[in-house]
Amino acid sequence: MLLPAAAETSPSFDLRPLLTRWAARYMPDDFLRKQLVEVTIATAVDDPDLLNGNSVEKALFFMLHKAALKKLGLSPPETKGRSMSHANLFTCEVWG
């Protein structure tokens, strides 16, 4: 499990270290990685329903992946056959 158990987390639990590790796979530049992490967190805060489902980690990864593709100027994969929450992740607007 990537995220700590609820009993191990404090109200100040920070997702940034986890998201930064994932972002490093997409962005070689530290500044761009930090932007990607902040966009991912903002997306989760703006639409917390995207985190509903079986795996919060998977939802966060999809958010980060979508933001990275947008920043890199690439198109996200087709959403046909995915649950509505995952389809919404690929249509959300990020990076202004």
Side-chain angles (χ1 to χ4, degrees):
M1 179 154 133
L2 298 173
L3 295 176
E8 298 171 1
T9 61
S10 70
S12 64
F13 177 71
D14 190 3
L15 289 171
R16 284 174 184 85
L18 172 66
L19 295 174
T20 300
R21 283 193 306 274
W22 291 346
R25 304 287 181 163
Y26 294 95
M27 304 291 171
D29 181 71
D30 188 50
F31 177 75
L32 293 176
R33 275 194 305 269
K34 287 177 182 178
Q35 279 188 330
L36 182 56
V37 167
E38 295 307 315
V39 166
T40 303
I41 291 170
T43 302
V45 169
D46 288 345
D47 193 353
D49 289 339
L50 295 175
L51 297 173
N52 291 341
N54 295 335
S55 172
V56 171
E57 291 95 346
K58 185 182 272 189
L60 287 168
F61 177 76
F62 278 128
M63 287 179 211
L64 183 130
H65 179 74
K66 165 65 177 168
L69 291 179
K70 181 139 181 122
K71 184 64 175 173
L72 294 169
L74 302 172
S75 298
E78 292 296 319
T79 58
K80 186 186 272 186
R82 293 201 175 123
S83 70
M84 189 56 166
S85 64
H86 289 139
N88 289 341
L89 288 173
F90 291 111
T91 59
C92 65
E93 287 299 316
V94 293
W95 296 97

